[in-house]
Amino acid sequence: MRKIILLLFIAALLSSSFSAEAQDKNMLRLGMIKFTTKAKGVTEEQAAAIGDIFARTLANSKSLMIVERERIEEIANEHHLTKAGRFEDDDVIELGKLITCKYMLLGAVTNLEKKTSTTDFWLLSETHQDVSATIDIRIVDVETSKVIMTFSESGSSSRKGDGFNFYGIKIDKGKQFEGLEESAIAEAVFRLSFNIREELAGEHIQVINNTRKELTLNAGENWGIGPGVLFNIYSEGEEVKNLDGSSMGRKLTLVAVVKVTDAQKDFCYAEVMKDGGNYSSIHKGYKAQPTTLKEANKFIQENRAAKKNRKKKS
C-alpha cells in the first residue's frame, strides 16, 4: 500500500512538472534590459528601479515569461555585451539569442516634471502641485532585429483636491521618489504593461458581470489595478479589414467610464461614474481600457451636453 501511495505521489509530481514545462513552452519569452534615464533629476538607479517594477507587473501575465534583469546582466557580463552598463542595439539582439528570448524590451524614463503654483485669495493662499511622468519603451523581435512595437505613456498626479488615480504598483522604498511622483510613475507603468499584455500577449480586460449597480472586470491586483483606477468601457462593432483582406480589428464604441472600487487578486469591482454612461448599455464581454481623469471628465461633459440637448428637443 505504501509503495502504491509513493508511486502515485511521484506520478503527481512528474505530471505537475511536465504540465509546468508545457505551459512555459507556450509562453512568449520576453527579456528586459535595465531601464535608462533621459529625464532631468532621475538617476540611473531610480530608472532601474522603475524597470524592475515594470517587470514584476508583467510577471503576472499568463502568456509572457519575463527573464529577470539580474540573469540578463550576468550573461551579458560573461559575453562582454555591455559597455559602461549600457547596451548597443546589436548587443541586445545577440543577448536575446543567448537567453533564447523571442522579444527584447528596452525602456527609458524620458520625463519626470513637477510644477508648483500658488493661488492667492483675500486672506489665504493655496498651493497646487502637479507631477507628470513619461516612460518610453520599444520591443525588438530577436529573430528579425526589427522594432515591432513602441509605446510612450504618461502618468500624472496632483494635490488639487479632485484627486488622482491610485494603483496597486509600489516603487521600492529608499529610491527617494515622493508620493506624487510615485503615483505618476505607477500610472505610466500600468498603462504600458496594459498595452504590452493586450497587443503582444493578446490578454484583454473585459466585463464579466453586471448587476446594474456594479461591474466585475476579469483583472485585479495581478494587473497592478487598485481602487480609484479609471477605465473606458467599449462595445465591439463590425470588423475592419485591410485592402488585402486581413483583419485590422473591430470598431470600438465608447459606452461608459468607470472607477474601480475594490480590487482582488484576479478581478475587481467598478462603478459607472456619475453621468459617465448607463449600466444598461454595458454587456458581458465588453472591453475595458485604462483612461485618465482628464479623458473621463471629457466624456462626462459630452454626455451632460448631449442630455441637455435631448431635453431641449423634447
Side-chain angles (χ1 to χ4, degrees), residues 32-34 67-82 85 87 95 98-99 104:
M32 287 188 60
I33 302 299
K34 181 172 70 173
V67 180
E68 292 294 332
R69 177 167 65 88
E70 290 78 6
R71 177 58 179 158
I72 291 176
E73 291 182 356
E74 179 185 336
I75 294 176
N77 290 330
E78 287 177 2
H79 292 81
H80 308 289
L81 293 175
T82 179
F87 296 89
L95 185 55
L98 287 171
I99 58 177
M104 296 295 285

mmCIF file with all atom_site columns, all heavy atoms in Angstrom, residues 32-34 67-82 85 87 95 98-99 104:
data_model
loop_
_atom_site.group_PDB
_atom_site.id
_atom_site.type_symbol
_atom_site.label_atom_id
_atom_site.label_alt_id
_atom_site.label_comp_id
_atom_site.label_asym_id
_atom_site.label_entity_id
_atom_site.label_seq_id
_atom_site.pdbx_PDB_ins_code
_atom_site.Cartn_x
_atom_site.Cartn_y
_atom_site.Cartn_z
_atom_site.occupancy
_atom_site.B_iso_or_equiv
_atom_site.pdbx_formal_charge
_atom_site.auth_seq_id
_atom_site.auth_comp_id
_atom_site.auth_asym_id
_atom_site.auth_atom_id
_atom_site.pdbx_PDB_model_num
ATOM 1   N N   . MET A 1 32  ? 14.148 41.766 -20.564 1.00 0.00 ? 32  MET A N   1
ATOM 2   C CA  . MET A 1 32  ? 14.099 43.192 -20.271 1.00 0.00 ? 32  MET A CA  1
ATOM 3   C C   . MET A 1 32  ? 15.479 43.721 -19.923 1.00 0.00 ? 32  MET A C   1
ATOM 4   O O   . MET A 1 32  ? 16.114 43.246 -18.986 1.00 0.00 ? 32  MET A O   1
ATOM 5   C CB  . MET A 1 32  ? 13.137 43.476 -19.114 1.00 0.00 ? 32  MET A CB  1
ATOM 6   C CG  . MET A 1 32  ? 11.676 43.337 -19.493 1.00 0.00 ? 32  MET A CG  1
ATOM 7   S SD  . MET A 1 32  ? 10.596 43.905 -18.175 1.00 0.00 ? 32  MET A SD  1
ATOM 8   C CE  . MET A 1 32  ? 11.113 45.608 -18.032 1.00 0.00 ? 32  MET A CE  1
ATOM 9   N N   . ILE A 1 33  ? 15.931 44.698 -20.709 1.00 0.00 ? 33  ILE A N   1
ATOM 10  C CA  . ILE A 1 33  ? 17.182 45.371 -20.421 1.00 0.00 ? 33  ILE A CA  1
ATOM 11  C C   . ILE A 1 33  ? 16.923 46.432 -19.346 1.00 0.00 ? 33  ILE A C   1
ATOM 12  O O   . ILE A 1 33  ? 15.840 46.994 -19.250 1.00 0.00 ? 33  ILE A O   1
ATOM 13  C CB  . ILE A 1 33  ? 17.737 46.049 -21.695 1.00 0.00 ? 33  ILE A CB  1
ATOM 14  C CG1 . ILE A 1 33  ? 17.946 45.011 -22.795 1.00 0.00 ? 33  ILE A CG1 1
ATOM 15  C CG2 . ILE A 1 33  ? 19.047 46.772 -21.414 1.00 0.00 ? 33  ILE A CG2 1
ATOM 16  C CD1 . ILE A 1 33  ? 18.929 43.932 -22.453 1.00 0.00 ? 33  ILE A CD1 1
ATOM 17  N N   . LYS A 1 34  ? 17.924 46.713 -18.542 1.00 0.00 ? 34  LYS A N   1
ATOM 18  C CA  . LYS A 1 34  ? 17.786 47.721 -17.484 1.00 0.00 ? 34  LYS A CA  1
ATOM 19  C C   . LYS A 1 34  ? 17.316 49.050 -18.062 1.00 0.00 ? 34  LYS A C   1
ATOM 20  O O   . LYS A 1 34  ? 17.869 49.550 -19.031 1.00 0.00 ? 34  LYS A O   1
ATOM 21  C CB  . LYS A 1 34  ? 19.127 47.906 -16.771 1.00 0.00 ? 34  LYS A CB  1
ATOM 22  C CG  . LYS A 1 34  ? 19.078 48.919 -15.621 1.00 0.00 ? 34  LYS A CG  1
ATOM 23  C CD  . LYS A 1 34  ? 20.370 48.916 -14.818 1.00 0.00 ? 34  LYS A CD  1
ATOM 24  C CE  . LYS A 1 34  ? 21.508 49.500 -15.602 1.00 0.00 ? 34  LYS A CE  1
ATOM 25  N NZ  . LYS A 1 34  ? 22.738 49.648 -14.777 1.00 0.00 ? 34  LYS A NZ  1
ATOM 26  N N   . VAL A 1 67  ? 12.238 37.283 -18.390 1.00 0.00 ? 67  VAL A N   1
ATOM 27  C CA  . VAL A 1 67  ? 13.567 36.875 -17.947 1.00 0.00 ? 67  VAL A CA  1
ATOM 28  C C   . VAL A 1 67  ? 14.111 37.955 -17.024 1.00 0.00 ? 67  VAL A C   1
ATOM 29  O O   . VAL A 1 67  ? 14.144 39.132 -17.386 1.00 0.00 ? 67  VAL A O   1
ATOM 30  C CB  . VAL A 1 67  ? 14.520 36.673 -19.144 1.00 0.00 ? 67  VAL A CB  1
ATOM 31  C CG1 . VAL A 1 67  ? 15.905 36.244 -18.656 1.00 0.00 ? 67  VAL A CG1 1
ATOM 32  C CG2 . VAL A 1 67  ? 13.949 35.632 -20.092 1.00 0.00 ? 67  VAL A CG2 1
ATOM 33  N N   . GLU A 1 68  ? 14.511 37.585 -15.828 1.00 0.00 ? 68  GLU A N   1
ATOM 34  C CA  . GLU A 1 68  ? 14.952 38.535 -14.818 1.00 0.00 ? 68  GLU A CA  1
ATOM 35  C C   . GLU A 1 68  ? 16.167 39.339 -15.282 1.00 0.00 ? 68  GLU A C   1
ATOM 36  O O   . GLU A 1 68  ? 17.066 38.809 -15.935 1.00 0.00 ? 68  GLU A O   1
ATOM 37  C CB  . GLU A 1 68  ? 15.296 37.806 -13.512 1.00 0.00 ? 68  GLU A CB  1
ATOM 38  C CG  . GLU A 1 68  ? 14.102 37.193 -12.805 1.00 0.00 ? 68  GLU A CG  1
ATOM 39  C CD  . GLU A 1 68  ? 13.137 38.239 -12.287 1.00 0.00 ? 68  GLU A CD  1
ATOM 40  O OE1 . GLU A 1 68  ? 13.582 39.370 -11.987 1.00 0.00 ? 68  GLU A OE1 1
ATOM 41  O OE2 . GLU A 1 68  ? 11.934 37.946 -12.205 1.00 0.00 ? 68  GLU A OE2 1
ATOM 42  N N   . ARG A 1 69  ? 16.172 40.630 -14.913 1.00 0.00 ? 69  ARG A N   1
ATOM 43  C CA  . ARG A 1 69  ? 17.263 41.522 -15.307 1.00 0.00 ? 69  ARG A CA  1
ATOM 44  C C   . ARG A 1 69  ? 18.608 41.030 -14.785 1.00 0.00 ? 69  ARG A C   1
ATOM 45  O O   . ARG A 1 69  ? 19.624 41.119 -15.472 1.00 0.00 ? 69  ARG A O   1
ATOM 46  C CB  . ARG A 1 69  ? 16.976 42.938 -14.793 1.00 0.00 ? 69  ARG A CB  1
ATOM 47  C CG  . ARG A 1 69  ? 18.102 43.925 -15.087 1.00 0.00 ? 69  ARG A CG  1
ATOM 48  C CD  . ARG A 1 69  ? 17.645 45.341 -14.851 1.00 0.00 ? 69  ARG A CD  1
ATOM 49  N NE  . ARG A 1 69  ? 17.329 45.618 -13.461 1.00 0.00 ? 69  ARG A NE  1
ATOM 50  C CZ  . ARG A 1 69  ? 18.223 46.024 -12.565 1.00 0.00 ? 69  ARG A CZ  1
ATOM 51  N NH1 . ARG A 1 69  ? 19.485 46.163 -12.904 1.00 0.00 ? 69  ARG A NH1 1
ATOM 52  N NH2 . ARG A 1 69  ? 17.859 46.288 -11.327 1.00 0.00 ? 69  ARG A NH2 1
ATOM 53  N N   . GLU A 1 70  ? 18.628 40.525 -13.549 1.00 0.00 ? 70  GLU A N   1
ATOM 54  C CA  . GLU A 1 70  ? 19.882 40.059 -12.971 1.00 0.00 ? 70  GLU A CA  1
ATOM 55  C C   . GLU A 1 70  ? 20.488 38.933 -13.816 1.00 0.00 ? 70  GLU A C   1
ATOM 56  O O   . GLU A 1 70  ? 21.707 38.883 -14.029 1.00 0.00 ? 70  GLU A O   1
ATOM 57  C CB  . GLU A 1 70  ? 19.660 39.569 -11.528 1.00 0.00 ? 70  GLU A CB  1
ATOM 58  C CG  . GLU A 1 70  ? 19.356 40.666 -10.531 1.00 0.00 ? 70  GLU A CG  1
ATOM 59  C CD  . GLU A 1 70  ? 17.920 41.151 -10.603 1.00 0.00 ? 70  GLU A CD  1
ATOM 60  O OE1 . GLU A 1 70  ? 17.122 40.539 -11.362 1.00 0.00 ? 70  GLU A OE1 1
ATOM 61  O OE2 . GLU A 1 70  ? 17.595 42.149 -9.927  1.00 0.00 ? 70  GLU A OE2 1
ATOM 62  N N   . ARG A 1 71  ? 19.626 38.024 -14.303 1.00 0.00 ? 71  ARG A N   1
ATOM 63  C CA  . ARG A 1 71  ? 20.094 36.915 -15.132 1.00 0.00 ? 71  ARG A CA  1
ATOM 64  C C   . ARG A 1 71  ? 20.634 37.437 -16.460 1.00 0.00 ? 71  ARG A C   1
ATOM 65  O O   . ARG A 1 71  ? 21.674 36.976 -16.955 1.00 0.00 ? 71  ARG A O   1
ATOM 66  C CB  . ARG A 1 71  ? 18.947 35.920 -15.378 1.00 0.00 ? 71  ARG A CB  1
ATOM 67  C CG  . ARG A 1 71  ? 19.291 34.765 -16.295 1.00 0.00 ? 71  ARG A CG  1
ATOM 68  C CD  . ARG A 1 71  ? 20.452 33.959 -15.782 1.00 0.00 ? 71  ARG A CD  1
ATOM 69  N NE  . ARG A 1 71  ? 20.772 32.833 -16.654 1.00 0.00 ? 71  ARG A NE  1
ATOM 70  C CZ  . ARG A 1 71  ? 21.950 32.228 -16.676 1.00 0.00 ? 71  ARG A CZ  1
ATOM 71  N NH1 . ARG A 1 71  ? 22.924 32.626 -15.875 1.00 0.00 ? 71  ARG A NH1 1
ATOM 72  N NH2 . ARG A 1 71  ? 22.153 31.220 -17.496 1.00 0.00 ? 71  ARG A NH2 1
ATOM 73  N N   . ILE A 1 72  ? 19.945 38.420 -17.039 1.00 0.00 ? 72  ILE A N   1
ATOM 74  C CA  . ILE A 1 72  ? 20.366 39.002 -18.308 1.00 0.00 ? 72  ILE A CA  1
ATOM 75  C C   . ILE A 1 72  ? 21.719 39.683 -18.157 1.00 0.00 ? 72  ILE A C   1
ATOM 76  O O   . ILE A 1 72  ? 22.622 39.516 -18.991 1.00 0.00 ? 72  ILE A O   1
ATOM 77  C CB  . ILE A 1 72  ? 19.311 40.009 -18.810 1.00 0.00 ? 72  ILE A CB  1
ATOM 78  C CG1 . ILE A 1 72  ? 18.041 39.259 -19.228 1.00 0.00 ? 72  ILE A CG1 1
ATOM 79  C CG2 . ILE A 1 72  ? 19.846 40.831 -19.978 1.00 0.00 ? 72  ILE A CG2 1
ATOM 80  C CD1 . ILE A 1 72  ? 16.910 40.158 -19.637 1.00 0.00 ? 72  ILE A CD1 1
ATOM 81  N N   . GLU A 1 73  ? 21.883 40.448 -17.074 1.00 0.00 ? 73  GLU A N   1
ATOM 82  C CA  . GLU A 1 73  ? 23.142 41.164 -16.859 1.00 0.00 ? 73  GLU A CA  1
ATOM 83  C C   . GLU A 1 73  ? 24.299 40.185 -16.597 1.00 0.00 ? 73  GLU A C   1
ATOM 84  O O   . GLU A 1 73  ? 25.435 40.435 -16.998 1.00 0.00 ? 73  GLU A O   1
ATOM 85  C CB  . GLU A 1 73  ? 22.990 42.137 -15.702 1.00 0.00 ? 73  GLU A CB  1
ATOM 86  C CG  . GLU A 1 73  ? 22.066 43.305 -16.032 1.00 0.00 ? 73  GLU A CG  1
ATOM 87  C CD  . GLU A 1 73  ? 21.950 44.298 -14.899 1.00 0.00 ? 73  GLU A CD  1
ATOM 88  O OE1 . GLU A 1 73  ? 22.520 44.044 -13.821 1.00 0.00 ? 73  GLU A OE1 1
ATOM 89  O OE2 . GLU A 1 73  ? 21.288 45.332 -15.095 1.00 0.00 ? 73  GLU A OE2 1
ATOM 90  N N   . GLU A 1 74  ? 23.982 39.079 -15.933 1.00 0.00 ? 74  GLU A N   1
ATOM 91  C CA  . GLU A 1 74  ? 25.008 38.061 -15.664 1.00 0.00 ? 74  GLU A CA  1
ATOM 92  C C   . GLU A 1 74  ? 25.539 37.484 -16.972 1.00 0.00 ? 74  GLU A C   1
ATOM 93  O O   . GLU A 1 74  ? 26.756 37.369 -17.174 1.00 0.00 ? 74  GLU A O   1
ATOM 94  C CB  . GLU A 1 74  ? 24.401 36.951 -14.801 1.00 0.00 ? 74  GLU A CB  1
ATOM 95  C CG  . GLU A 1 74  ? 25.355 35.824 -14.476 1.00 0.00 ? 74  GLU A CG  1
ATOM 96  C CD  . GLU A 1 74  ? 24.678 34.693 -13.713 1.00 0.00 ? 74  GLU A CD  1
ATOM 97  O OE1 . GLU A 1 74  ? 23.638 34.957 -13.059 1.00 0.00 ? 74  GLU A OE1 1
ATOM 98  O OE2 . GLU A 1 74  ? 25.182 33.560 -13.770 1.00 0.00 ? 74  GLU A OE2 1
ATOM 99  N N   . ILE A 1 75  ? 24.616 37.149 -17.891 1.00 0.00 ? 75  ILE A N   1
ATOM 100 C CA  . ILE A 1 75  ? 25.022 36.592 -19.186 1.00 0.00 ? 75  ILE A CA  1
ATOM 101 C C   . ILE A 1 75  ? 25.724 37.652 -20.025 1.00 0.00 ? 75  ILE A C   1
ATOM 102 O O   . ILE A 1 75  ? 26.705 37.367 -20.725 1.00 0.00 ? 75  ILE A O   1
ATOM 103 C CB  . ILE A 1 75  ? 23.784 36.029 -19.930 1.00 0.00 ? 75  ILE A CB  1
ATOM 104 C CG1 . ILE A 1 75  ? 23.225 34.826 -19.156 1.00 0.00 ? 75  ILE A CG1 1
ATOM 105 C CG2 . ILE A 1 75  ? 24.139 35.634 -21.354 1.00 0.00 ? 75  ILE A CG2 1
ATOM 106 C CD1 . ILE A 1 75  ? 21.957 34.257 -19.730 1.00 0.00 ? 75  ILE A CD1 1
ATOM 107 N N   . ALA A 1 76  ? 25.239 38.885 -19.956 1.00 0.00 ? 76  ALA A N   1
ATOM 108 C CA  . ALA A 1 76  ? 25.862 39.980 -20.708 1.00 0.00 ? 76  ALA A CA  1
ATOM 109 C C   . ALA A 1 76  ? 27.305 40.191 -20.276 1.00 0.00 ? 76  ALA A C   1
ATOM 110 O O   . ALA A 1 76  ? 28.199 40.395 -21.111 1.00 0.00 ? 76  ALA A O   1
ATOM 111 C CB  . ALA A 1 76  ? 25.055 41.267 -20.513 1.00 0.00 ? 76  ALA A CB  1
ATOM 112 N N   . ASN A 1 77  ? 27.547 40.119 -18.980 1.00 0.00 ? 77  ASN A N   1
ATOM 113 C CA  . ASN A 1 77  ? 28.918 40.291 -18.473 1.00 0.00 ? 77  ASN A CA  1
ATOM 114 C C   . ASN A 1 77  ? 29.817 39.136 -18.889 1.00 0.00 ? 77  ASN A C   1
ATOM 115 O O   . ASN A 1 77  ? 30.994 39.327 -19.211 1.00 0.00 ? 77  ASN A O   1
ATOM 116 C CB  . ASN A 1 77  ? 28.889 40.429 -16.949 1.00 0.00 ? 77  ASN A CB  1
ATOM 117 C CG  . ASN A 1 77  ? 28.282 41.742 -16.504 1.00 0.00 ? 77  ASN A CG  1
ATOM 118 O OD1 . ASN A 1 77  ? 28.372 42.754 -17.207 1.00 0.00 ? 77  ASN A OD1 1
ATOM 119 N ND2 . ASN A 1 77  ? 27.646 41.749 -15.334 1.00 0.00 ? 77  ASN A ND2 1
ATOM 120 N N   . GLU A 1 78  ? 29.251 37.932 -18.897 1.00 0.00 ? 78  GLU A N   1
ATOM 121 C CA  . GLU A 1 78  ? 30.030 36.756 -19.289 1.00 0.00 ? 78  GLU A CA  1
ATOM 122 C C   . GLU A 1 78  ? 30.506 36.864 -20.738 1.00 0.00 ? 78  GLU A C   1
ATOM 123 O O   . GLU A 1 78  ? 31.594 36.415 -21.088 1.00 0.00 ? 78  GLU A O   1
ATOM 124 C CB  . GLU A 1 78  ? 29.191 35.489 -19.118 1.00 0.00 ? 78  GLU A CB  1
ATOM 125 C CG  . GLU A 1 78  ? 28.976 35.074 -17.673 1.00 0.00 ? 78  GLU A CG  1
ATOM 126 C CD  . GLU A 1 78  ? 28.081 33.857 -17.560 1.00 0.00 ? 78  GLU A CD  1
ATOM 127 O OE1 . GLU A 1 78  ? 27.663 33.327 -18.618 1.00 0.00 ? 78  GLU A OE1 1
ATOM 128 O OE2 . GLU A 1 78  ? 27.792 33.429 -16.425 1.00 0.00 ? 78  GLU A OE2 1
ATOM 129 N N   . HIS A 1 79  ? 29.662 37.485 -21.588 1.00 0.00 ? 79  HIS A N   1
ATOM 130 C CA  . HIS A 1 79  ? 29.972 37.574 -23.017 1.00 0.00 ? 79  HIS A CA  1
ATOM 131 C C   . HIS A 1 79  ? 30.410 38.981 -23.425 1.00 0.00 ? 79  HIS A C   1
ATOM 132 O O   . HIS A 1 79  ? 30.484 39.288 -24.617 1.00 0.00 ? 79  HIS A O   1
ATOM 133 C CB  . HIS A 1 79  ? 28.749 37.139 -23.846 1.00 0.00 ? 79  HIS A CB  1
ATOM 134 C CG  . HIS A 1 79  ? 28.414 35.692 -23.724 1.00 0.00 ? 79  HIS A CG  1
ATOM 135 N ND1 . HIS A 1 79  ? 27.707 35.177 -22.650 1.00 0.00 ? 79  HIS A ND1 1
ATOM 136 C CD2 . HIS A 1 79  ? 28.703 34.631 -24.533 1.00 0.00 ? 79  HIS A CD2 1
ATOM 137 C CE1 . HIS A 1 79  ? 27.556 33.871 -22.809 1.00 0.00 ? 79  HIS A CE1 1
ATOM 138 N NE2 . HIS A 1 79  ? 28.153 33.518 -23.940 1.00 0.00 ? 79  HIS A NE2 1
ATOM 139 N N   . HIS A 1 80  ? 30.676 39.818 -22.421 1.00 0.00 ? 80  HIS A N   1
ATOM 140 C CA  . HIS A 1 80  ? 31.184 41.171 -22.662 1.00 0.00 ? 80  HIS A CA  1
ATOM 141 C C   . HIS A 1 80  ? 30.277 41.958 -23.621 1.00 0.00 ? 80  HIS A C   1
ATOM 142 O O   . HIS A 1 80  ? 30.744 42.567 -24.581 1.00 0.00 ? 80  HIS A O   1
ATOM 143 C CB  . HIS A 1 80  ? 32.610 41.120 -23.221 1.00 0.00 ? 80  HIS A CB  1
ATOM 144 C CG  . HIS A 1 80  ? 33.545 40.277 -22.404 1.00 0.00 ? 80  HIS A CG  1
ATOM 145 N ND1 . HIS A 1 80  ? 33.993 40.666 -21.150 1.00 0.00 ? 80  HIS A ND1 1
ATOM 146 C CD2 . HIS A 1 80  ? 34.081 39.041 -22.633 1.00 0.00 ? 80  HIS A CD2 1
ATOM 147 C CE1 . HIS A 1 80  ? 34.786 39.720 -20.662 1.00 0.00 ? 80  HIS A CE1 1
ATOM 148 N NE2 . HIS A 1 80  ? 34.849 38.726 -21.535 1.00 0.00 ? 80  HIS A NE2 1
ATOM 149 N N   . LEU A 1 81  ? 28.974 41.918 -23.337 1.00 0.00 ? 81  LEU A N   1
ATOM 150 C CA  . LEU A 1 81  ? 27.995 42.584 -24.211 1.00 0.00 ? 81  LEU A CA  1
ATOM 151 C C   . LEU A 1 81  ? 27.481 43.895 -23.639 1.00 0.00 ? 81  LEU A C   1
ATOM 152 O O   . LEU A 1 81  ? 26.508 44.444 -24.138 1.00 0.00 ? 81  LEU A O   1
ATOM 153 C CB  . LEU A 1 81  ? 26.811 41.644 -24.470 1.00 0.00 ? 81  LEU A CB  1
ATOM 154 C CG  . LEU A 1 81  ? 27.110 40.405 -25.291 1.00 0.00 ? 81  LEU A CG  1
ATOM 155 C CD1 . LEU A 1 81  ? 25.889 39.509 -25.372 1.00 0.00 ? 81  LEU A CD1 1
ATOM 156 C CD2 . LEU A 1 81  ? 27.569 40.794 -26.699 1.00 0.00 ? 81  LEU A CD2 1
ATOM 157 N N   . THR A 1 82  ? 28.118 44.398 -22.615 1.00 0.00 ? 82  THR A N   1
ATOM 158 C CA  . THR A 1 82  ? 27.687 45.669 -22.039 1.00 0.00 ? 82  THR A CA  1
ATOM 159 C C   . THR A 1 82  ? 28.871 46.624 -21.965 1.00 0.00 ? 82  THR A C   1
ATOM 160 O O   . THR A 1 82  ? 29.991 46.223 -21.685 1.00 0.00 ? 82  THR A O   1
ATOM 161 C CB  . THR A 1 82  ? 27.090 45.471 -20.634 1.00 0.00 ? 82  THR A CB  1
ATOM 162 O OG1 . THR A 1 82  ? 26.698 46.747 -20.113 1.00 0.00 ? 82  THR A OG1 1
ATOM 163 C CG2 . THR A 1 82  ? 28.059 44.819 -19.688 1.00 0.00 ? 82  THR A CG2 1
ATOM 164 N N   . GLY A 1 85  ? 27.653 49.704 -18.584 1.00 0.00 ? 85  GLY A N   1
ATOM 165 C CA  . GLY A 1 85  ? 26.305 49.468 -18.091 1.00 0.00 ? 85  GLY A CA  1
ATOM 166 C C   . GLY A 1 85  ? 25.215 49.661 -19.120 1.00 0.00 ? 85  GLY A C   1
ATOM 167 O O   . GLY A 1 85  ? 24.031 49.522 -18.818 1.00 0.00 ? 85  GLY A O   1
ATOM 168 N N   . PHE A 1 87  ? 23.727 49.015 -23.352 1.00 0.00 ? 87  PHE A N   1
ATOM 169 C CA  . PHE A 1 87  ? 23.767 48.050 -24.437 1.00 0.00 ? 87  PHE A CA  1
ATOM 170 C C   . PHE A 1 87  ? 23.575 48.751 -25.781 1.00 0.00 ? 87  PHE A C   1
ATOM 171 O O   . PHE A 1 87  ? 22.709 49.601 -25.923 1.00 0.00 ? 87  PHE A O   1
ATOM 172 C CB  . PHE A 1 87  ? 22.656 46.999 -24.271 1.00 0.00 ? 87  PHE A CB  1
ATOM 173 C CG  . PHE A 1 87  ? 22.801 46.139 -23.055 1.00 0.00 ? 87  PHE A CG  1
ATOM 174 C CD1 . PHE A 1 87  ? 22.235 46.520 -21.847 1.00 0.00 ? 87  PHE A CD1 1
ATOM 175 C CD2 . PHE A 1 87  ? 23.490 44.944 -23.115 1.00 0.00 ? 87  PHE A CD2 1
ATOM 176 C CE1 . PHE A 1 87  ? 22.363 45.723 -20.720 1.00 0.00 ? 87  PHE A CE1 1
ATOM 177 C CE2 . PHE A 1 87  ? 23.618 44.142 -21.990 1.00 0.00 ? 87  PHE A CE2 1
ATOM 178 C CZ  . PHE A 1 87  ? 23.053 44.535 -20.793 1.00 0.00 ? 87  PHE A CZ  1
ATOM 179 N N   . LEU A 1 95  ? 22.243 39.236 -27.219 1.00 0.00 ? 95  LEU A N   1
ATOM 180 C CA  . LEU A 1 95  ? 21.868 38.807 -25.874 1.00 0.00 ? 95  LEU A CA  1
ATOM 181 C C   . LEU A 1 95  ? 20.535 38.068 -25.892 1.00 0.00 ? 95  LEU A C   1
ATOM 182 O O   . LEU A 1 95  ? 20.359 37.053 -25.209 1.00 0.00 ? 95  LEU A O   1
ATOM 183 C CB  . LEU A 1 95  ? 21.779 40.035 -24.960 1.00 0.00 ? 95  LEU A CB  1
ATOM 184 C CG  . LEU A 1 95  ? 21.520 39.799 -23.473 1.00 0.00 ? 95  LEU A CG  1
ATOM 185 C CD1 . LEU A 1 95  ? 22.565 38.858 -22.885 1.00 0.00 ? 95  LEU A CD1 1
ATOM 186 C CD2 . LEU A 1 95  ? 21.528 41.128 -22.727 1.00 0.00 ? 95  LEU A CD2 1
ATOM 187 N N   . LEU A 1 98  ? 21.124 34.568 -26.891 1.00 0.00 ? 98  LEU A N   1
ATOM 188 C CA  . LEU A 1 98  ? 21.797 33.786 -25.850 1.00 0.00 ? 98  LEU A CA  1
ATOM 189 C C   . LEU A 1 98  ? 20.817 33.318 -24.771 1.00 0.00 ? 98  LEU A C   1
ATOM 190 O O   . LEU A 1 98  ? 20.968 32.229 -24.219 1.00 0.00 ? 98  LEU A O   1
ATOM 191 C CB  . LEU A 1 98  ? 22.913 34.614 -25.210 1.00 0.00 ? 98  LEU A CB  1
ATOM 192 C CG  . LEU A 1 98  ? 24.167 34.838 -26.065 1.00 0.00 ? 98  LEU A CG  1
ATOM 193 C CD1 . LEU A 1 98  ? 25.090 35.861 -25.401 1.00 0.00 ? 98  LEU A CD1 1
ATOM 194 C CD2 . LEU A 1 98  ? 24.917 33.518 -26.276 1.00 0.00 ? 98  LEU A CD2 1
ATOM 195 N N   . ILE A 1 99  ? 19.839 34.154 -24.460 1.00 0.00 ? 99  ILE A N   1
ATOM 196 C CA  . ILE A 1 99  ? 18.876 33.783 -23.407 1.00 0.00 ? 99  ILE A CA  1
ATOM 197 C C   . ILE A 1 99  ? 17.584 33.216 -24.003 1.00 0.00 ? 99  ILE A C   1
ATOM 198 O O   . ILE A 1 99  ? 16.593 33.060 -23.307 1.00 0.00 ? 99  ILE A O   1
ATOM 199 C CB  . ILE A 1 99  ? 18.548 34.985 -22.502 1.00 0.00 ? 99  ILE A CB  1
ATOM 200 C CG1 . ILE A 1 99  ? 17.973 36.154 -23.315 1.00 0.00 ? 99  ILE A CG1 1
ATOM 201 C CG2 . ILE A 1 99  ? 19.769 35.433 -21.721 1.00 0.00 ? 99  ILE A CG2 1
ATOM 202 C CD1 . ILE A 1 99  ? 17.563 37.342 -22.465 1.00 0.00 ? 99  ILE A CD1 1
ATOM 203 N N   . MET A 1 104 ? 12.892 41.342 -27.021 1.00 0.00 ? 104 MET A N   1
ATOM 204 C CA  . MET A 1 104 ? 13.644 42.091 -26.012 1.00 0.00 ? 104 MET A CA  1
ATOM 205 C C   . MET A 1 104 ? 12.967 43.448 -25.827 1.00 0.00 ? 104 MET A C   1
ATOM 206 O O   . MET A 1 104 ? 12.543 44.085 -26.802 1.00 0.00 ? 104 MET A O   1
ATOM 207 C CB  . MET A 1 104 ? 15.094 42.282 -26.443 1.00 0.00 ? 104 MET A CB  1
ATOM 208 C CG  . MET A 1 104 ? 15.886 40.993 -26.564 1.00 0.00 ? 104 MET A CG  1
ATOM 209 S SD  . MET A 1 104 ? 16.115 40.138 -24.985 1.00 0.00 ? 104 MET A SD  1
ATOM 210 C CE  . MET A 1 104 ? 17.376 41.183 -24.240 1.00 0.00 ? 104 MET A CE  1
#
